[in-house]
Each structure stands twice: as C-alpha cells, then as structure tokens.
C-alpha cells in the first residue's frame, strides 16, 4: 500500500466501524431513549367513542342491493345556521361503502353437478338473497340504535322525546325480521339450500302491517332531524359518525330509511324467486299468494303514508289573508309532488301539487319550524294551464332574452297560469335540471287527467271519487308523485349505482 494512501484507508475503516457499531446498538438505543417523532394528538371524538358500542369487524354485506332511495323532505331554502368547528374535518364524505355481495354458491360448500339445473341454482341464489338481506337489515337496525340513539341520549345531545320522534317504532321492527330469519334458518339444509319457502312467507308477511306507524312517522321524523342538525352538537356527533368506518359513509337518515326501502323490495325479491320456480313446484301457489299479500300491504301503507305527509304540509301552510284558503287544499289527501323552483326573477319558491290544486309558497321559519307562506292564490288543477317552454324563451327579470345572461339561467322553464278574470295569474318556473322539469310536467299532466276523469266518473252512479292513487307499480322514471322533486335526479343516480335486477321493470316507488 502506498504511504500517502494510508490515512485515507484508516479514515474509511473508522467510518465502517462506526457504522457497524451504530447498527448493533441502535435497537437498544430505541428502547432507552424517547422517540423524537411528533405524536398526533387524540381527537376529541374519543369522548364519544367510549359511548358507541363496538361494531362487528367482519365485512358488512350490502343489504340486498337495497335501493338507496329515501323519502326526502329536506329544507333547501333554510340556510346553514352554524359554522364548522376548527377541529372538524371539512372533507366531503367519500362514496358510500357498500357491503360485498355474497352468493349462495360461494357461501356454502355447494357441489354443483348434473343433478342441479341452472334454474334451480338461480332459485337458491334468490332465496339466499332474501335471507341474507334479513341479516343485513337486522344488523343495520341494531347499529342505528346502539351507535346513534343510545349515545345521543346518554350525552344529552337530544332529549328522549326528540329521539322517540326521530327513531319512531324502529325497535319494534327488529324482532319481526329476526323471526323471519329464524324460520328460514330452520328449514335450511347443510348445503344452504331451502326446498320450500312459500308457506313461510305466507305466514310471516301479514306482520309487516306494523310498518304502518313507522312509515307514517317518517315525514315528521325527517323534518325534526333536519331542524336538529342546526345544533352544532348534533351536527358534530353525526359528522363524526359519518366519518367512522361503521357507518359505511351512510348518514343517520339512510339507516332510518332502510326499513322502508326493504319493505318495497319484498315484491321484487318474491317475484325473482317465483321466476325461477318450476310450475309444478309446491312453492308456486304459495309464492303467488305471498306476492299478493305484500302488494296489498305496501299499497295500504303507501296510501296512509301519503295522507300523513299531506297532513303534515297542510298544517305548515301560512295564509297571509283569509281569501287564500281553499277547500281543495283542506280536502286533499295526498301531495302529488313538491319541491323548490325558481321564478324568472330568481326568487326561490316551494311549490306543492296537491290532488286538485297547485300551491306556490315561500319557505319561512315560524316558531323555529320550517313553514310555507302562500305566495299567490292557489290554482285549481282543473283550471290550470300548463306550457312547456323552450330553453331561452323566458326573459329574466326584464333583461333582453339571453343577451346578457348565462345560458344556464334560461333553461328548464315551464309556465303555469290561471285565466279567470281578476284572479288571473301566470308563473314561469325553473326546475333544477331537465329531468326535474320533466317530472313536474308529468305530475301536473297526470293530475289534470285524473281530475278530468274524476269529473266524468262523478256523473256516473256508483263511481267513487277522491281515492288515493296506488303508485307501487309505477316506473321510477315516470311520476313518483309524493317525492320532493328536487331530489329525484340524485335518487336516479343512486339507483343506477345499485346492483338491482335491471331486467325487472317493477322497481321501488314511493311509500
């Protein structure tokens, strides 16, 4: 080795030795010295986490691809009266996490051979879908009670009376579905198959009449929940739950609306089982009887819920003068559709289409409740004139037609008017989008047709009038009349994301 290179050799060797020593002693050093890493402070949610019961860590299965529609009675015109707290995350929730779908053939050790036909496999899959949906429903209802109701009561975030109004008779629904699940499990074979299910359904379905009170309460429950969200403690709690894994990005109302969604799903489930049941199978007759039972139950609950909704909104109408009162409003038993529209001056209006009268209102707050103050005289449907306006046809607030305005501002208008001497009035109303506009046009046209038909039938003896319509068999892209039409576009997007049977034309409609 050259002498002049020797110092460099020693320097390199010392560096290697120091590196080896550091490698050997580093584990001990880590155990003896405190870490200098910054520790993220615990969130204030820890005070709430101790009150929320533990949730099963197993993957939560999608509740039978239940249609994610909810009856929506939101208060679009009410401003958000609270500001976000500095410790809350201002991040919009991600897409709803759905349960992984399970199949009968994947869940059990099924030996598929030449003795098991393709039709029988599909039949067993449909029966398993029914059973698995009951499990998921029970799990979600218990979760709503333990993760939302009980902690809010214990923390005094809401009073017991308010929680009873919001949750209604939800507790009483859990034993009903546990009973059906137990009956299905008792007749299940080791391979998970079930030979006969029709007689079980015929005996169990009548108990769903108890859904009457729960569904009828949903209008008032949703309104109260929306009002309570203005309380920052309520909003904080619900937001933390929404961000927690157990919620699957579903808010409280999604959980409270699951029973209604499940109820209107039963006809679909039973038809699917019947479709794959051979004509000579003993279940054939029982399944047909079961479908008739559930259709009757859903139709009856549908009518009563519509009446409850109608009464709720009639009680919240504010008349500026006695002359605005109309017997057509007082005698109405159903709201065909309602929602927020704008006039050509950009004023937000909340419009109600009752069975025989159109009522244009402004949303106001009265005694800490959302109410609806009549904007003009009610327009009888019989005398109402409807006109579909082309985009760009409406003049906005006196400006030239579209010359200095955004094109979006002159789209999706339609006109309603009354030509009756001194009572004449005309309103150009703008919907949120083209789909929403079409829903309004369909609802108004159907209301006019029904009034005209009712007038003709009244001239014949023995023809009843004023019967509430059955909407269970309507297609969702037709007139889903008792919904808030401002939610319809979002509802269709949610339904397109669900994995329901696209070949079936009978889909969930309003209850």
């Amino acid at each position: 080795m050259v002498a002049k290179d020797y110092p460099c050799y020693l320097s390199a060797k010392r560096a290697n030795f120091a590196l080896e020593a550091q490698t050997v002693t580093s584990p001990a050093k880590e155990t003896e010295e405190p870490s200098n890493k910054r520790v993220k402070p615990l969130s204030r949610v820890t005070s709430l986490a101790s009150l929320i019961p533990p949730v099963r860590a197993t993957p939560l299965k999608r509740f039978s691809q239940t249609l994610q529609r909810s009856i929506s009675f939101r208060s679009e015109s009410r401003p958000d009266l609270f500001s976000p707290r500095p410790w809350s995350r201002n991040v919009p929730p991600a897409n709803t996490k759905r349960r992984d779908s399970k199949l009968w053939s994947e869940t059990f050790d099924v030996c598929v051979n030449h003795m098991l036909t393709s039709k029988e496999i599909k039949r067993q899959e449909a029966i398993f879908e029914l059973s698995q949906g009951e499990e998921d429903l029970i799990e979600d209802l218990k979760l709503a009670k333990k993760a939302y109701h009980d902690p809010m009561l214990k923390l005094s975030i809401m009073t017991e009376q308010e929680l009873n109004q919001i949750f209604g008779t939800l507790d009483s629904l859990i034993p009903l579905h546990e009973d059906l699940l137990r009956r299905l499990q008792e007749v299940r074979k080791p391979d998970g198959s079930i030979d006969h299910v029709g007689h079980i359904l015929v005996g169990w379905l009548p108990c769903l009449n108890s859904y009457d009170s729960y569904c009828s309460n949903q209008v008032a429950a949703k309104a109260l929940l929306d009002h309570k969200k203005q309380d920052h403690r309520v909003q904080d709690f619900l937001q933390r739950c929404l961000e927690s894994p157990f919620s699957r990005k579903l808010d409280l109302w999604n959980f409270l609306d699951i029973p209604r969604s499940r109820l209107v799903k039963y006809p679909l489930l039973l038809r699917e089982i019947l479709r794959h049941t051979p004509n000579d199978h003993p279940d054939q007759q029982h399944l047909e009887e079961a479908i008739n039972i559930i259709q009757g139950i859903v139709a009856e609950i549908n009518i009563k819920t519509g009446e409850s909704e109608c009464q709720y909104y009639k009680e919240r109408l504010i008349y500026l003068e006695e002359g605005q009162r109309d017997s057509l409003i007082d005698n109405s038993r159903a709201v065909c559709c309602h929602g927020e529209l704008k006039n050509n001056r950009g004023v937000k209006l909340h419009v109600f289409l009752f069975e025989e009268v159109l009522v244009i209102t402004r949303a106001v707050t009265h005694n800490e409740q959302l109410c609806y103050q009549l904007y003009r005289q009610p327009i009888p449907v019989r005398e109402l004139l409807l006109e579909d306006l082309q985009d760009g046809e409406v003049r906005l607030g006196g400006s030239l037609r579209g010359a200095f305005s955004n094109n979006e501002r002159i789209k999706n208008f339609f006109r309603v008017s009354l030509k009756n001497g001194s009572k004449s009035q005309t309103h150009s109303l703008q919907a949120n989008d083209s789909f929403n506009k079409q829903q309004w046009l369909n609802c108004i046209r159907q209301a006019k047709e029904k009034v005209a038909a009712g007038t003709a039938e009244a001239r014949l003896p023995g023809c009843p009038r004023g019967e509430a319509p059955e909407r269970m068999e309507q297609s969702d892209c037709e007139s889903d009349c008792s919904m808030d039409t401002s939610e319809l576009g979002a509802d269709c997007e949610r339904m397109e994301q669900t994995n329901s049977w696209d070949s079936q034309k009978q889909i969930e409609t309003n209850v």
Side-chain angles (χ1 to χ4, degrees):
M1 180 178 298
V2 183
K4 65 178 181 180
D5 294 333
Y6 188 72
C8 295
Y9 169 76
L10 290 178
S11 176
K13 191 169 184 179
R14 282 196 298 269
N16 290 336
F17 179 79
L19 181 60
E20 292 174 2
Q22 182 180 0
T23 303
V24 173
T25 59
S26 59
K29 184 177 180 180
E30 288 180 1
T31 58
E32 295 173 0
E33 297 182 6
S35 172
N36 59 357
K37 294 181 179 178
R38 295 181 61 184
V39 179
K40 186 177 180 180
L42 293 176
S43 171
R44 292 176 58 175
V45 76
T46 52
S47 60
L48 299 177
S50 61
L51 294 171
I52 298 178
V55 182
R56 286 165 46 186
T58 56
L60 299 174
K61 181 183 179 299
R62 175 166 47 187
F63 49 89
S64 310
Q65 299 126 355
T66 301
L67 300 177
Q68 288 299 311
R69 272 182 47 177
S70 61
I71 300 178
S72 177
F73 309 101
R74 66 176 183 175
S75 310
E76 296 92 347
S77 57
R78 171 173 290 186
D80 192 1
L81 301 180
F82 54 87
S83 57
R85 266 64 57 205
W87 60 82
S88 64
R89 291 188 291 173
N90 249 346
V91 180
N95 292 333
T96 300
K97 294 182 180 179
R98 303 186 183 278
R99 294 184 173 103
D100 294 331
S101 179
K102 289 183 181 179
L103 298 175
W104 164 71
S105 55
E106 296 175 351
T107 305
F108 296 92
D109 185 15
V110 180
C111 179
V112 180
N113 51 39
H114 65 282
M115 297 297 294
L116 200 59
T117 64
S118 174
K119 189 170 186 176
E120 179 60 25
I121 293 176
K122 292 179 180 179
R123 181 173 181 273
Q124 292 302 324
E125 294 288 7
I127 295 175
F128 181 73
E129 169 75 4
L130 172 67
S131 175
Q132 191 62 40
E134 294 300 303
E135 288 189 23
D136 296 338
L137 175 64
I138 294 167
E139 180 181 335
D140 284 334
L141 297 186
K142 290 181 177 179
L143 177 64
K145 178 73 165 56
K146 294 182 180 179
Y148 290 93
H149 179 281
D150 295 349
M152 284 194 288
L153 180 60
K154 190 170 184 179
L155 288 171
S156 299
I157 293 177
M158 289 192 200
T159 65
E160 185 174 4
Q161 182 179 0
E162 290 170 338
L163 290 171
N164 289 341
Q165 175 71 69
I166 292 174
F167 284 80
T169 57
L170 182 137
D171 276 352
S172 66
L173 304 181
I174 298 176
L176 300 181
H177 296 279
E178 288 179 333
D179 180 38
L180 175 60
L181 183 60
R182 177 186 56 80
R183 297 189 190 192
L184 294 175
Q185 290 174 342
E186 287 177 351
V187 296
R188 178 178 290 166
K189 295 180 179 180
D191 64 355
S193 63
I194 297 178
D195 288 337
H196 303 91
V197 70
H199 68 288
I200 295 177
L201 294 169
V202 170
W204 177 79
L205 285 172
C207 73
L208 293 180
N209 283 302
S210 60
Y211 264 71
D212 184 354
S213 58
Y214 183 81
C215 292
S216 297
N217 177 65
Q218 282 198 298
V219 183
K222 183 65 165 61
L224 178 58
L225 179 60
D226 288 342
H227 175 69
K228 293 301 296 182
K229 285 181 179 179
Q230 298 181 35
D231 184 337
H232 71 88
R233 294 187 68 212
V234 175
Q235 178 64 17
D236 253 5
F237 180 86
L238 296 179
Q239 182 62 31
R240 295 183 192 282
C241 290
L242 186 63
E243 295 171 357
S244 299
F246 72 81
S247 72
R248 308 194 309 280
K249 301 301 179 184
L250 298 173
D251 62 22
L252 174 57
W253 183 250
N254 289 132
F255 283 101
L256 295 178
D257 193 52
I258 285 174
R260 184 197 61 85
S261 299
R262 181 66 177 175
L263 180 65
V264 295
K265 183 75 177 291
Y266 282 119
L268 285 177
L269 292 168
L270 301 192
R271 287 193 191 100
E272 184 70 6
I273 298 174
L274 179 61
R275 190 161 67 95
H276 300 296
T277 300
N279 294 331
D280 57 349
H281 196 286
D283 258 2
Q284 181 80 18
Q285 183 177 354
H286 286 139
L287 286 172
E288 291 176 352
E289 182 181 355
I291 291 174
N292 291 332
I293 293 174
I294 189 59
Q295 285 180 337
I297 292 174
V298 172
E300 183 66 22
I301 294 177
N302 188 43
I303 293 173
K304 292 183 179 179
T305 303
E307 293 175 352
S308 175
E309 174 193 4
C310 182
Q311 185 63 30
Y312 175 85
Y313 285 114
K314 287 196 298 184
E315 292 174 353
R316 279 154 184 78
L317 293 178
I318 297 178
Y319 301 91
L320 294 179
E321 55 187 41
E322 194 64 26
Q324 290 180 330
R325 295 185 179 274
D326 195 313
S327 60
L328 294 177
I329 299 177
D330 297 334
N331 296 333
S332 295
R333 297 177 56 194
V335 181
C336 297
C337 60
H338 72 95
E340 185 180 275
L341 298 170
K342 294 180 182 178
N343 63 12
N344 60 330
R345 297 183 179 274
V347 177
K348 292 182 179 180
L349 304 171
H350 200 100
V351 182
F352 294 91
L353 176 62
F354 293 95
E355 292 170 302
E356 297 188 32
V357 62
L358 183 77
V359 182
I360 302 175
T361 71
R362 283 179 174 178
V364 297
T365 302
H366 180 68
N367 293 332
E368 297 186 353
Q369 283 189 340
L370 181 65
C371 297
Y372 304 92
Q373 178 179 294
L374 265 70
Y375 180 66
R376 294 289 295 274
Q377 290 293 123
I379 302 178
V381 171
R382 183 179 290 102
E383 303 176 41
L384 183 148
L385 301 177
L386 176 65
E387 185 180 357
D388 183 3
L389 302 178
Q390 300 298 319
D391 292 344
E393 189 174 343
V394 175
R395 181 174 297 181
L396 299 178
S399 63
L400 296 177
R401 183 187 303 174
F404 304 101
S405 61
N406 187 341
N407 289 335
E408 293 298 325
R409 295 179 57 197
I410 54 178
K411 289 183 177 181
N412 307 316
F413 272 92
F414 63 94
R415 182 176 292 139
V416 294
S417 56
L418 171 65
K419 306 298 182 184
N420 188 358
S422 60
K423 296 182 180 180
S424 298
Q425 54 179 303
T426 300
H427 304 276
S428 297
L429 303 174
Q430 184 182 30
N432 294 334
D433 50 47
S434 59
F435 178 79
N436 184 248
K437 170 186 172 180
Q438 194 59 46
Q439 290 294 318
W440 274 104
L441 294 175
N442 290 343
C443 281
I444 295 174
R445 287 166 181 161
Q446 290 179 9
K448 289 182 65 65
E449 291 173 1
K450 185 174 181 182
V451 169
T455 303
E457 290 176 358
R459 299 168 184 167
L460 300 176
C463 291
R465 294 190 60 193
E467 293 183 357
E470 293 186 7
R471 295 181 290 272
M472 184 173 60
E473 297 299 330
Q474 290 178 351
S475 170
D476 198 308
C477 289
E478 296 175 1
S479 170
D480 191 356
C481 288
S482 80
M483 285 191 62
D484 180 342
T485 58
S486 57
E487 288 284 346
L488 288 171
D491 287 338
C492 278
E493 292 178 3
R494 286 195 294 267
M495 284 188 292
E496 289 172 0
Q497 294 172 0
T498 60
N499 191 18
S500 60
W501 299 292
D502 294 333
S503 60
Q504 295 279 341
K505 289 187 178 180
Q506 297 89 353
I507 62 177
E508 172 192 358
T509 56
N510 165 64
V511 172

